[in-house]
Structure formats: C-alpha cells, structure tokens
PDB file of all heavy atoms in Angstrom:
ATOM      1  N   MET A   1       0.828  -1.189   0.000  1.00  0.00           N
ATOM      2  CA  MET A   1       0.000   0.000   0.000  1.00  0.00           C
ATOM      3  C   MET A   1       0.878   1.260   0.000  1.00  0.00           C
ATOM      4  O   MET A   1       0.538   2.232  -0.645  1.00  0.00           O
ATOM      5  CB  MET A   1      -0.920  -0.031   1.211  1.00  0.00           C
ATOM      6  CG  MET A   1      -1.965   1.029   1.194  1.00  0.00           C
ATOM      7  SD  MET A   1      -3.210   0.688   2.429  1.00  0.00           S
ATOM      8  CE  MET A   1      -4.549   1.573   1.767  1.00  0.00           C
ATOM      9  N   ALA A   2       1.980   1.191   0.724  1.00  0.00           N
ATOM     10  CA  ALA A   2       2.884   2.340   0.761  1.00  0.00           C
ATOM     11  C   ALA A   2       3.459   2.626  -0.624  1.00  0.00           C
ATOM     12  O   ALA A   2       3.551   3.782  -1.040  1.00  0.00           O
ATOM     13  CB  ALA A   2       4.011   2.091   1.755  1.00  0.00           C
ATOM     14  N   TRP A   3       3.830   1.561  -1.335  1.00  0.00           N
ATOM     15  CA  TRP A   3       4.375   1.738  -2.685  1.00  0.00           C
ATOM     16  C   TRP A   3       3.341   2.382  -3.593  1.00  0.00           C
ATOM     17  O   TRP A   3       3.654   3.293  -4.358  1.00  0.00           O
ATOM     18  CB  TRP A   3       4.804   0.377  -3.238  1.00  0.00           C
ATOM     19  CG  TRP A   3       5.238   0.451  -4.654  1.00  0.00           C
ATOM     20  CD1 TRP A   3       6.472   0.847  -5.110  1.00  0.00           C
ATOM     21  CD2 TRP A   3       4.454   0.155  -5.810  1.00  0.00           C
ATOM     22  NE1 TRP A   3       6.502   0.797  -6.476  1.00  0.00           N
ATOM     23  CE2 TRP A   3       5.270   0.382  -6.936  1.00  0.00           C
ATOM     24  CE3 TRP A   3       3.163  -0.275  -6.003  1.00  0.00           C
ATOM     25  CZ2 TRP A   3       4.807   0.182  -8.232  1.00  0.00           C
ATOM     26  CZ3 TRP A   3       2.714  -0.474  -7.301  1.00  0.00           C
ATOM     27  CH2 TRP A   3       3.532  -0.245  -8.394  1.00  0.00           C
ATOM     28  N   GLN A   4       2.103   1.912  -3.507  1.00  0.00           N
ATOM     29  CA  GLN A   4       1.030   2.448  -4.347  1.00  0.00           C
ATOM     30  C   GLN A   4       0.790   3.928  -4.039  1.00  0.00           C
ATOM     31  O   GLN A   4       0.619   4.736  -4.947  1.00  0.00           O
ATOM     32  CB  GLN A   4      -0.251   1.638  -4.122  1.00  0.00           C
ATOM     33  CG  GLN A   4      -1.368   1.999  -5.058  1.00  0.00           C
ATOM     34  CD  GLN A   4      -1.144   1.481  -6.467  1.00  0.00           C
ATOM     35  OE1 GLN A   4      -0.211   0.757  -6.754  1.00  0.00           O
ATOM     36  NE2 GLN A   4      -2.009   1.881  -7.354  1.00  0.00           N
ATOM     37  N   ALA A   5       0.774   4.287  -2.764  1.00  0.00           N
ATOM     38  CA  ALA A   5       0.562   5.691  -2.389  1.00  0.00           C
ATOM     39  C   ALA A   5       1.703   6.566  -2.899  1.00  0.00           C
ATOM     40  O   ALA A   5       1.475   7.658  -3.407  1.00  0.00           O
ATOM     41  CB  ALA A   5       0.450   5.814  -0.875  1.00  0.00           C
ATOM     42  N   ARG A   6       2.921   6.068  -2.771  1.00  0.00           N
ATOM     43  CA  ARG A   6       4.075   6.830  -3.243  1.00  0.00           C
ATOM     44  C   ARG A   6       4.000   7.021  -4.756  1.00  0.00           C
ATOM     45  O   ARG A   6       4.291   8.097  -5.271  1.00  0.00           O
ATOM     46  CB  ARG A   6       5.359   6.097  -2.859  1.00  0.00           C
ATOM     47  CG  ARG A   6       6.485   7.013  -2.510  1.00  0.00           C
ATOM     48  CD  ARG A   6       7.724   6.297  -1.977  1.00  0.00           C
ATOM     49  NE  ARG A   6       7.453   5.550  -0.756  1.00  0.00           N
ATOM     50  CZ  ARG A   6       7.607   4.226  -0.628  1.00  0.00           C
ATOM     51  NH1 ARG A   6       8.052   3.507  -1.633  1.00  0.00           N
ATOM     52  NH2 ARG A   6       7.336   3.633   0.504  1.00  0.00           N
ATOM     53  N   ARG A   7       3.583   5.978  -5.469  1.00  0.00           N
ATOM     54  CA  ARG A   7       3.530   6.042  -6.928  1.00  0.00           C
ATOM     55  C   ARG A   7       2.418   6.974  -7.409  1.00  0.00           C
ATOM     56  O   ARG A   7       2.611   7.755  -8.324  1.00  0.00           O
ATOM     57  CB  ARG A   7       3.303   4.641  -7.498  1.00  0.00           C
ATOM     58  CG  ARG A   7       3.410   4.564  -8.995  1.00  0.00           C
ATOM     59  CD  ARG A   7       3.321   3.136  -9.506  1.00  0.00           C
ATOM     60  NE  ARG A   7       1.975   2.582  -9.402  1.00  0.00           N
ATOM     61  CZ  ARG A   7       0.987   2.818 -10.273  1.00  0.00           C
ATOM     62  NH1 ARG A   7       1.196   3.622 -11.297  1.00  0.00           N
ATOM     63  NH2 ARG A   7      -0.185   2.264 -10.120  1.00  0.00           N
ATOM     64  N   GLN A   8       1.254   6.912  -6.768  1.00  0.00           N
ATOM     65  CA  GLN A   8       0.104   7.667  -7.271  1.00  0.00           C
ATOM     66  C   GLN A   8       0.038   9.096  -6.758  1.00  0.00           C
ATOM     67  O   GLN A   8      -0.331   9.995  -7.504  1.00  0.00           O
ATOM     68  CB  GLN A   8      -1.195   6.940  -6.923  1.00  0.00           C
ATOM     69  CG  GLN A   8      -1.414   5.713  -7.767  1.00  0.00           C
ATOM     70  CD  GLN A   8      -2.800   5.134  -7.594  1.00  0.00           C
ATOM     71  OE1 GLN A   8      -3.464   5.369  -6.593  1.00  0.00           O
ATOM     72  NE2 GLN A   8      -3.233   4.359  -8.568  1.00  0.00           N
ATOM     73  N   ILE A   9       0.352   9.305  -5.483  1.00  0.00           N
ATOM     74  CA  ILE A   9       0.184  10.655  -4.924  1.00  0.00           C
ATOM     75  C   ILE A   9       1.462  11.239  -4.345  1.00  0.00           C
ATOM     76  O   ILE A   9       1.437  12.281  -3.717  1.00  0.00           O
ATOM     77  CB  ILE A   9      -0.943  10.688  -3.865  1.00  0.00           C
ATOM     78  CG1 ILE A   9      -0.654   9.737  -2.709  1.00  0.00           C
ATOM     79  CG2 ILE A   9      -2.276  10.388  -4.490  1.00  0.00           C
ATOM     80  CD1 ILE A   9      -1.668   9.805  -1.582  1.00  0.00           C
ATOM     81  N   GLY A  10       2.573  10.519  -4.510  1.00  0.00           N
ATOM     82  CA  GLY A  10       3.850  11.081  -4.093  1.00  0.00           C
ATOM     83  C   GLY A  10       4.190  10.917  -2.625  1.00  0.00           C
ATOM     84  O   GLY A  10       5.134  11.512  -2.149  1.00  0.00           O
ATOM     85  N   GLY A  11       3.447  10.125  -1.887  1.00  0.00           N
ATOM     86  CA  GLY A  11       3.781   9.894  -0.484  1.00  0.00           C
ATOM     87  C   GLY A  11       2.578   9.461   0.327  1.00  0.00           C
ATOM     88  O   GLY A  11       1.510   9.189  -0.202  1.00  0.00           O
ATOM     89  N   HIS A  12       2.798   9.429   1.626  1.00  0.00           N
ATOM     90  CA  HIS A  12       1.740   9.026   2.549  1.00  0.00           C
ATOM     91  C   HIS A  12       0.956  10.248   3.014  1.00  0.00           C
ATOM     92  O   HIS A  12       1.517  11.314   3.181  1.00  0.00           O
ATOM     93  CB  HIS A  12       2.335   8.346   3.791  1.00  0.00           C
ATOM     94  CG  HIS A  12       3.079   7.102   3.491  1.00  0.00           C
ATOM     95  ND1 HIS A  12       4.428   7.088   3.296  1.00  0.00           N
ATOM     96  CD2 HIS A  12       2.650   5.836   3.334  1.00  0.00           C
ATOM     97  CE1 HIS A  12       4.802   5.862   3.049  1.00  0.00           C
ATOM     98  NE2 HIS A  12       3.749   5.084   3.057  1.00  0.00           N
ATOM     99  N   THR A  13      -0.326  10.053   3.224  1.00  0.00           N
ATOM    100  CA  THR A  13      -1.148  11.106   3.802  1.00  0.00           C
ATOM    101  C   THR A  13      -2.014  10.471   4.885  1.00  0.00           C
ATOM    102  O   THR A  13      -2.037   9.250   5.045  1.00  0.00           O
ATOM    103  CB  THR A  13      -2.073  11.747   2.747  1.00  0.00           C
ATOM    104  OG1 THR A  13      -3.017  10.764   2.305  1.00  0.00           O
ATOM    105  CG2 THR A  13      -1.308  12.287   1.551  1.00  0.00           C
ATOM    106  N   GLY A  14      -2.733  11.282   5.588  1.00  0.00           N
ATOM    107  CA  GLY A  14      -3.658  10.770   6.589  1.00  0.00           C
ATOM    108  C   GLY A  14      -4.727   9.897   5.961  1.00  0.00           C
ATOM    109  O   GLY A  14      -5.185   8.925   6.567  1.00  0.00           O
ATOM    110  N   ASP A  15      -5.115  10.206   4.745  1.00  0.00           N
ATOM    111  CA  ASP A  15      -6.106   9.385   4.048  1.00  0.00           C
ATOM    112  C   ASP A  15      -5.580   7.981   3.782  1.00  0.00           C
ATOM    113  O   ASP A  15      -6.314   6.996   3.897  1.00  0.00           O
ATOM    114  CB  ASP A  15      -6.508  10.032   2.723  1.00  0.00           C
ATOM    115  CG  ASP A  15      -7.352  11.274   2.910  1.00  0.00           C
ATOM    116  OD1 ASP A  15      -7.930  11.436   3.998  1.00  0.00           O
ATOM    117  OD2 ASP A  15      -7.421  12.080   1.977  1.00  0.00           O
ATOM    118  N   VAL A  16      -4.303   7.881   3.435  1.00  0.00           N
ATOM    119  CA  VAL A  16      -3.700   6.572   3.181  1.00  0.00           C
ATOM    120  C   VAL A  16      -3.683   5.754   4.472  1.00  0.00           C
ATOM    121  O   VAL A  16      -4.059   4.580   4.476  1.00  0.00           O
ATOM    122  CB  VAL A  16      -2.270   6.720   2.614  1.00  0.00           C
ATOM    123  CG1 VAL A  16      -1.579   5.365   2.517  1.00  0.00           C
ATOM    124  CG2 VAL A  16      -2.305   7.400   1.260  1.00  0.00           C
ATOM    125  N   PHE A  17      -3.273   6.371   5.561  1.00  0.00           N
ATOM    126  CA  PHE A  17      -3.233   5.655   6.833  1.00  0.00           C
ATOM    127  C   PHE A  17      -4.641   5.302   7.310  1.00  0.00           C
ATOM    128  O   PHE A  17      -4.866   4.230   7.860  1.00  0.00           O
ATOM    129  CB  PHE A  17      -2.501   6.476   7.896  1.00  0.00           C
ATOM    130  CG  PHE A  17      -1.021   6.554   7.660  1.00  0.00           C
ATOM    131  CD1 PHE A  17      -0.414   7.772   7.467  1.00  0.00           C
ATOM    132  CD2 PHE A  17      -0.236   5.412   7.619  1.00  0.00           C
ATOM    133  CE1 PHE A  17       0.950   7.860   7.241  1.00  0.00           C
ATOM    134  CE2 PHE A  17       1.117   5.480   7.396  1.00  0.00           C
ATOM    135  CZ  PHE A  17       1.721   6.708   7.207  1.00  0.00           C
ATOM    136  N   GLY A  18      -5.588   6.167   7.079  1.00  0.00           N
ATOM    137  CA  GLY A  18      -6.967   5.886   7.445  1.00  0.00           C
ATOM    138  C   GLY A  18      -7.535   4.727   6.651  1.00  0.00           C
ATOM    139  O   GLY A  18      -8.223   3.857   7.202  1.00  0.00           O
ATOM    140  N   ALA A  19      -7.245   4.694   5.370  1.00  0.00           N
ATOM    141  CA  ALA A  19      -7.710   3.592   4.533  1.00  0.00           C
ATOM    142  C   ALA A  19      -7.067   2.275   4.960  1.00  0.00           C
ATOM    143  O   ALA A  19      -7.742   1.240   5.023  1.00  0.00           O
ATOM    144  CB  ALA A  19      -7.397   3.882   3.069  1.00  0.00           C
ATOM    145  N   ALA A  20      -5.790   2.308   5.277  1.00  0.00           N
ATOM    146  CA  ALA A  20      -5.100   1.095   5.726  1.00  0.00           C
ATOM    147  C   ALA A  20      -5.709   0.587   7.030  1.00  0.00           C
ATOM    148  O   ALA A  20      -5.895  -0.619   7.214  1.00  0.00           O
ATOM    149  CB  ALA A  20      -3.613   1.378   5.907  1.00  0.00           C
ATOM    150  N   GLN A  21      -6.047   1.487   7.916  1.00  0.00           N
ATOM    151  CA  GLN A  21      -6.664   1.099   9.185  1.00  0.00           C
ATOM    152  C   GLN A  21      -8.033   0.475   8.951  1.00  0.00           C
ATOM    153  O   GLN A  21      -8.371  -0.547   9.564  1.00  0.00           O
ATOM    154  CB  GLN A  21      -6.782   2.324  10.102  1.00  0.00           C
ATOM    155  CG  GLN A  21      -7.336   2.027  11.476  1.00  0.00           C
ATOM    156  CD  GLN A  21      -8.857   2.078  11.532  1.00  0.00           C
ATOM    157  OE1 GLN A  21      -9.491   2.845  10.818  1.00  0.00           O
ATOM    158  NE2 GLN A  21      -9.443   1.241  12.362  1.00  0.00           N
ATOM    159  N   GLN A  22      -8.806   1.027   8.048  1.00  0.00           N
ATOM    160  CA  GLN A  22     -10.135   0.489   7.755  1.00  0.00           C
ATOM    161  C   GLN A  22     -10.045  -0.905   7.131  1.00  0.00           C
ATOM    162  O   GLN A  22     -10.825  -1.797   7.485  1.00  0.00           O
ATOM    163  CB  GLN A  22     -10.894   1.430   6.817  1.00  0.00           C
ATOM    164  CG  GLN A  22     -11.285   2.741   7.462  1.00  0.00           C
ATOM    165  CD  GLN A  22     -12.307   2.557   8.569  1.00  0.00           C
ATOM    166  OE1 GLN A  22     -13.321   1.925   8.373  1.00  0.00           O
ATOM    167  NE2 GLN A  22     -12.021   3.108   9.724  1.00  0.00           N
ATOM    168  N   VAL A  23      -9.108  -1.100   6.232  1.00  0.00           N
ATOM    169  CA  VAL A  23      -8.920  -2.414   5.604  1.00  0.00           C
ATOM    170  C   VAL A  23      -8.487  -3.435   6.655  1.00  0.00           C
ATOM    171  O   VAL A  23      -9.002  -4.558   6.690  1.00  0.00           O
ATOM    172  CB  VAL A  23      -7.897  -2.328   4.451  1.00  0.00           C
ATOM    173  CG1 VAL A  23      -7.491  -3.699   3.960  1.00  0.00           C
ATOM    174  CG2 VAL A  23      -8.464  -1.493   3.319  1.00  0.00           C
ATOM    175  N   ALA A  24      -7.569  -3.060   7.519  1.00  0.00           N
ATOM    176  CA  ALA A  24      -7.109  -3.976   8.562  1.00  0.00           C
ATOM    177  C   ALA A  24      -8.232  -4.326   9.527  1.00  0.00           C
ATOM    178  O   ALA A  24      -8.397  -5.491   9.912  1.00  0.00           O
ATOM    179  CB  ALA A  24      -5.937  -3.354   9.316  1.00  0.00           C
ATOM    180  N   GLU A  25      -9.015  -3.344   9.911  1.00  0.00           N
ATOM    181  CA  GLU A  25     -10.122  -3.601  10.826  1.00  0.00           C
ATOM    182  C   GLU A  25     -11.159  -4.526  10.196  1.00  0.00           C
ATOM    183  O   GLU A  25     -11.651  -5.455  10.840  1.00  0.00           O
ATOM    184  CB  GLU A  25     -10.784  -2.288  11.226  1.00  0.00           C
ATOM    185  CG  GLU A  25     -11.887  -2.456  12.240  1.00  0.00           C
ATOM    186  CD  GLU A  25     -12.502  -1.138  12.675  1.00  0.00           C
ATOM    187  OE1 GLU A  25     -11.950  -0.064  12.377  1.00  0.00           O
ATOM    188  OE2 GLU A  25     -13.549  -1.196  13.333  1.00  0.00           O
ATOM    189  N   ALA A  26     -11.482  -4.313   8.939  1.00  0.00           N
ATOM    190  CA  ALA A  26     -12.441  -5.174   8.245  1.00  0.00           C
ATOM    191  C   ALA A  26     -11.918  -6.608   8.166  1.00  0.00           C
ATOM    192  O   ALA A  26     -12.676  -7.562   8.362  1.00  0.00           O
ATOM    193  CB  ALA A  26     -12.726  -4.629   6.855  1.00  0.00           C
ATOM    194  N   ALA A  27     -10.627  -6.773   7.906  1.00  0.00           N
ATOM    195  CA  ALA A  27     -10.039  -8.112   7.826  1.00  0.00           C
ATOM    196  C   ALA A  27     -10.123  -8.826   9.174  1.00  0.00           C
ATOM    197  O   ALA A  27     -10.455 -10.014   9.241  1.00  0.00           O
ATOM    198  CB  ALA A  27      -8.589  -8.014   7.362  1.00  0.00           C
ATOM    199  N   VAL A  28      -9.838  -8.111  10.245  1.00  0.00           N
ATOM    200  CA  VAL A  28      -9.919  -8.707  11.583  1.00  0.00           C
ATOM    201  C   VAL A  28     -11.357  -9.100  11.900  1.00  0.00           C
ATOM    202  O   VAL A  28     -11.613 -10.207  12.380  1.00  0.00           O
ATOM    203  CB  VAL A  28      -9.378  -7.730  12.652  1.00  0.00           C
ATOM    204  CG1 VAL A  28      -9.715  -8.204  14.058  1.00  0.00           C
ATOM    205  CG2 VAL A  28      -7.877  -7.565  12.496  1.00  0.00           C
ATOM    206  N   LEU A  29     -12.304  -8.231  11.617  1.00  0.00           N
ATOM    207  CA  LEU A  29     -13.695  -8.536  11.912  1.00  0.00           C
ATOM    208  C   LEU A  29     -14.217  -9.709  11.084  1.00  0.00           C
ATOM    209  O   LEU A  29     -14.955 -10.564  11.596  1.00  0.00           O
ATOM    210  CB  LEU A  29     -14.569  -7.290  11.696  1.00  0.00           C
ATOM    211  CG  LEU A  29     -14.330  -6.157  12.712  1.00  0.00           C
ATOM    212  CD1 LEU A  29     -15.116  -4.924  12.295  1.00  0.00           C
ATOM    213  CD2 LEU A  29     -14.678  -6.593  14.115  1.00  0.00           C
ATOM    214  N   LEU A  30     -13.835  -9.773   9.811  1.00  0.00           N
ATOM    215  CA  LEU A  30     -14.252 -10.898   8.975  1.00  0.00           C
ATOM    216  C   LEU A  30     -13.638 -12.207   9.470  1.00  0.00           C
ATOM    217  O   LEU A  30     -14.297 -13.252   9.465  1.00  0.00           O
ATOM    218  CB  LEU A  30     -13.864 -10.640   7.522  1.00  0.00           C
ATOM    219  CG  LEU A  30     -14.695  -9.600   6.795  1.00  0.00           C
ATOM    220  CD1 LEU A  30     -14.075  -9.271   5.441  1.00  0.00           C
ATOM    221  CD2 LEU A  30     -16.121 -10.087   6.609  1.00  0.00           C
ATOM    222  N   THR A  31     -12.394 -12.150   9.905  1.00  0.00           N
ATOM    223  CA  THR A  31     -11.736 -13.338  10.444  1.00  0.00           C
ATOM    224  C   THR A  31     -12.430 -13.813  11.706  1.00  0.00           C
ATOM    225  O   THR A  31     -12.690 -15.013  11.887  1.00  0.00           O
ATOM    226  CB  THR A  31     -10.253 -13.047  10.732  1.00  0.00           C
ATOM    227  OG1 THR A  31      -9.620 -12.640   9.519  1.00  0.00           O
ATOM    228  CG2 THR A  31      -9.538 -14.269  11.283  1.00  0.00           C
ATOM    229  N   LEU A  32     -12.761 -12.896  12.596  1.00  0.00           N
ATOM    230  CA  LEU A  32     -13.464 -13.261  13.819  1.00  0.00           C
ATOM    231  C   LEU A  32     -14.851 -13.818  13.531  1.00  0.00           C
ATOM    232  O   LEU A  32     -15.288 -14.798  14.148  1.00  0.00           O
ATOM    233  CB  LEU A  32     -13.561 -12.053  14.758  1.00  0.00           C
ATOM    234  CG  LEU A  32     -12.245 -11.601  15.387  1.00  0.00           C
ATOM    235  CD1 LEU A  32     -12.452 -10.300  16.151  1.00  0.00           C
ATOM    236  CD2 LEU A  32     -11.688 -12.665  16.299  1.00  0.00           C
ATOM    237  N   ALA A  33     -15.542 -13.206  12.590  1.00  0.00           N
ATOM    238  CA  ALA A  33     -16.880 -13.693  12.236  1.00  0.00           C
ATOM    239  C   ALA A  33     -16.812 -15.100  11.650  1.00  0.00           C
ATOM    240  O   ALA A  33     -17.665 -15.943  11.935  1.00  0.00           O
ATOM    241  CB  ALA A  33     -17.531 -12.732  11.254  1.00  0.00           C
ATOM    242  N   ALA A  34     -15.802 -15.371  10.841  1.00  0.00           N
ATOM    243  CA  ALA A  34     -15.643 -16.699  10.248  1.00  0.00           C
ATOM    244  C   ALA A  34     -15.283 -17.734  11.315  1.00  0.00           C
ATOM    245  O   ALA A  34     -15.724 -18.888  11.240  1.00  0.00           O
ATOM    246  CB  ALA A  34     -14.582 -16.668   9.165  1.00  0.00           C
ATOM    247  N   ALA A  35     -14.523 -17.326  12.310  1.00  0.00           N
ATOM    248  CA  ALA A  35     -14.123 -18.250  13.376  1.00  0.00           C
ATOM    249  C   ALA A  35     -15.301 -18.617  14.271  1.00  0.00           C
ATOM    250  O   ALA A  35     -15.391 -19.741  14.762  1.00  0.00           O
ATOM    251  CB  ALA A  35     -13.005 -17.632  14.210  1.00  0.00           C
ATOM    252  N   VAL A  36     -16.236 -17.703  14.456  1.00  0.00           N
ATOM    253  CA  VAL A  36     -17.391 -17.938  15.312  1.00  0.00           C
ATOM    254  C   VAL A  36     -18.426 -18.796  14.586  1.00  0.00           C
ATOM    255  O   VAL A  36     -19.081 -19.636  15.188  1.00  0.00           O
ATOM    256  CB  VAL A  36     -18.011 -16.591  15.765  1.00  0.00           C
ATOM    257  CG1 VAL A  36     -19.336 -16.810  16.479  1.00  0.00           C
ATOM    258  CG2 VAL A  36     -17.036 -15.845  16.643  1.00  0.00           C
ATOM    259  N   ALA A  37     -18.557 -18.596  13.297  1.00  0.00           N
ATOM    260  CA  ALA A  37     -19.594 -19.307  12.525  1.00  0.00           C
ATOM    261  C   ALA A  37     -19.254 -20.743  12.243  1.00  0.00           C
ATOM    262  O   ALA A  37     -18.301 -21.314  12.406  1.00  0.00           O
ATOM    263  CB  ALA A  37     -19.825 -18.590  11.193  1.00  0.00           C
TER     264      ALA A  37
END
C-alpha cells in the first residue's frame, strides 16, 4: 500500500493511513466472524 501511495500521490497522507486502518479492521472482523460461525 505504501508503494502504491508513493507512486500515485507522491507519499503518505492521513487518508492513506486511514484507509489502511479500515482495511485492517475489516479483515480482523471478517476473520473473527468466520471463526465464530
């Protein structure tokens, strides 16, 4: 993700870090939901 941000917008921004956090949180929640089901 860092490489993509650097290539497209020239570096990291708060939006990039926010998007990474949202993707990570969704992955954790989906993993937990799959483990419970």
Side-chain angles (χ1 to χ4, degrees):
M1 189 167 203
W3 174 81
Q4 187 74 6
R6 215 174 299 119
R7 188 174 72 81
Q8 286 190 338
I9 60 175
H12 298 94
T13 66
D15 289 341
V16 173
F17 289 120
Q21 183 273 328
Q22 291 294 309
V23 169
E25 184 178 348
V28 168
L29 291 173
L30 287 171
T31 301
L32 290 173
V36 171

